[in-house]
Tab-separated table of all heavy atoms in Angstrom:
chain	number	residue	atom	x	y	z
X	303	GLU	N	126.656	22.937	-40.144
X	303	GLU	CA	126.479	21.540	-39.754
X	303	GLU	C	125.123	21.324	-39.080
X	303	GLU	O	124.743	22.096	-38.193
X	303	GLU	CB	127.601	21.153	-38.790
X	303	GLU	CG	127.546	19.739	-38.282
X	303	GLU	CD	128.637	19.470	-37.261
X	303	GLU	OE1	129.618	20.250	-37.219
X	303	GLU	OE2	128.511	18.491	-36.508
X	304	PRO	N	124.376	20.271	-39.461
X	304	PRO	CA	123.112	19.967	-38.783
X	304	PRO	C	123.332	19.819	-37.273
X	304	PRO	O	124.328	19.249	-36.838
X	304	PRO	CB	122.683	18.633	-39.415
X	304	PRO	CG	123.305	18.651	-40.767
X	304	PRO	CD	124.635	19.339	-40.577
X	305	GLY	N	122.393	20.364	-36.528
X	305	GLY	CA	122.512	20.368	-35.080
X	305	GLY	C	123.165	21.622	-34.545
X	305	GLY	O	123.042	21.934	-33.352
X	306	LEU	N	123.882	22.336	-35.401
X	306	LEU	CA	124.513	23.602	-35.017
X	306	LEU	C	123.953	24.769	-35.823
X	306	LEU	O	124.469	25.878	-35.751
X	306	LEU	CB	126.028	23.522	-35.215
X	306	LEU	CG	126.781	22.566	-34.280
X	306	LEU	CD1	128.260	22.531	-34.639
X	306	LEU	CD2	126.603	22.990	-32.817
X	307	GLN	N	122.917	24.491	-36.604
X	307	GLN	CA	122.342	25.561	-37.420
X	307	GLN	C	121.533	26.528	-36.563
X	307	GLN	O	120.934	26.140	-35.556
X	307	GLN	CB	121.451	24.961	-38.511
X	307	GLN	CG	122.217	24.211	-39.570
X	307	GLN	CD	121.309	23.651	-40.643
X	307	GLN	OE1	120.113	23.520	-40.453
X	307	GLN	NE2	121.897	23.310	-41.792
X	308	GLY	N	121.504	27.772	-36.976
X	308	GLY	CA	120.761	28.818	-36.273
X	308	GLY	C	121.435	30.150	-36.494
X	308	GLY	O	122.547	30.238	-37.033
X	309	PHE	N	120.764	31.200	-36.086
X	309	PHE	CA	121.341	32.542	-36.240
X	309	PHE	C	122.525	32.713	-35.287
X	309	PHE	O	122.446	32.385	-34.106
X	309	PHE	CB	120.289	33.619	-35.942
X	309	PHE	CG	119.382	33.910	-37.100
X	309	PHE	CD1	118.159	33.280	-37.215
X	309	PHE	CD2	119.773	34.808	-38.085
X	309	PHE	CE1	117.319	33.553	-38.289
X	309	PHE	CE2	118.950	35.094	-39.155
X	309	PHE	CZ	117.712	34.451	-39.265
X	310	ARG	N	123.638	33.221	-35.825
X	310	ARG	CA	124.785	33.611	-35.008
X	310	ARG	C	124.828	35.132	-34.961
X	310	ARG	O	124.424	35.808	-35.919
X	310	ARG	CB	126.080	33.053	-35.584
X	310	ARG	CG	126.470	33.678	-36.915
X	310	ARG	CD	127.636	32.964	-37.574
X	310	ARG	NE	127.207	31.705	-38.156
X	310	ARG	CZ	127.979	30.957	-38.942
X	310	ARG	NH1	129.216	31.341	-39.226
X	310	ARG	NH2	127.521	29.845	-39.457
X	311	ARG	N	125.291	35.691	-33.864
X	311	ARG	CA	125.400	37.148	-33.702
X	311	ARG	C	126.834	37.588	-33.937
X	311	ARG	O	127.742	37.150	-33.232
X	311	ARG	CB	124.928	37.567	-32.305
X	311	ARG	CG	123.415	37.670	-32.199
X	311	ARG	CD	122.934	37.780	-30.759
X	311	ARG	NE	123.557	38.826	-30.002
X	311	ARG	CZ	123.157	40.112	-29.969
X	311	ARG	NH1	122.112	40.481	-30.700
X	311	ARG	NH2	123.771	40.997	-29.221
X	312	ILE	N	127.007	38.448	-34.937
X	312	ILE	CA	128.331	38.953	-35.288
X	312	ILE	C	128.458	40.384	-34.779
X	312	ILE	O	127.683	41.267	-35.175
X	312	ILE	CB	128.552	38.937	-36.821
X	312	ILE	CG1	128.207	37.571	-37.412
X	312	ILE	CG2	129.976	39.351	-37.145
X	312	ILE	CD1	129.018	36.431	-36.899
X	313	ASN	N	129.406	40.625	-33.902
X	313	ASN	CA	129.682	41.976	-33.420
X	313	ASN	C	130.556	42.667	-34.465
X	313	ASN	O	131.754	42.385	-34.572
X	313	ASN	CB	130.395	41.907	-32.067
X	313	ASN	CG	130.480	43.257	-31.387
X	313	ASN	OD1	130.530	44.280	-32.056
X	313	ASN	ND2	130.511	43.252	-30.077
X	314	CYS	N	129.968	43.553	-35.250
X	314	CYS	CA	130.650	44.130	-36.419
X	314	CYS	C	131.553	45.301	-36.033
X	314	CYS	O	131.412	46.421	-36.537
X	314	CYS	CB	129.627	44.539	-37.468
X	314	CYS	SG	128.724	43.136	-38.162
X	315	THR	N	132.482	45.004	-35.136
X	315	THR	CA	133.441	46.023	-34.688
X	315	THR	C	134.880	45.572	-34.914
X	315	THR	O	135.809	46.196	-34.398
X	315	THR	CB	133.239	46.327	-33.190
X	315	THR	OG1	133.359	45.107	-32.436
X	315	THR	CG2	131.870	46.936	-32.936
X	316	GLU	N	135.076	44.488	-35.674
X	316	GLU	CA	136.417	44.016	-36.002
X	316	GLU	C	137.007	44.902	-37.101
X	316	GLU	O	136.274	45.472	-37.916
X	316	GLU	CB	136.359	42.569	-36.491
X	316	GLU	CG	135.738	41.581	-35.519
X	316	GLU	CD	136.684	41.163	-34.412
X	316	GLU	OE1	137.890	41.501	-34.498
X	316	GLU	OE2	136.221	40.504	-33.468
X	317	PRO	N	138.331	44.989	-37.178
X	317	PRO	CA	138.945	45.810	-38.226
X	317	PRO	C	138.524	45.433	-39.648
X	317	PRO	O	138.542	46.287	-40.536
X	317	PRO	CB	140.447	45.560	-38.010
X	317	PRO	CG	140.563	45.239	-36.565
X	317	PRO	CD	139.316	44.455	-36.231
Side-chain angles (χ1 to χ4, degrees):
E303 179 184 342
L306 292 177
Q307 291 181 342
F309 278 95
R310 68 189 75 171
R311 279 167 53 86
I312 309 299
N313 191 330
C314 295
T315 57
E316 302 281 350

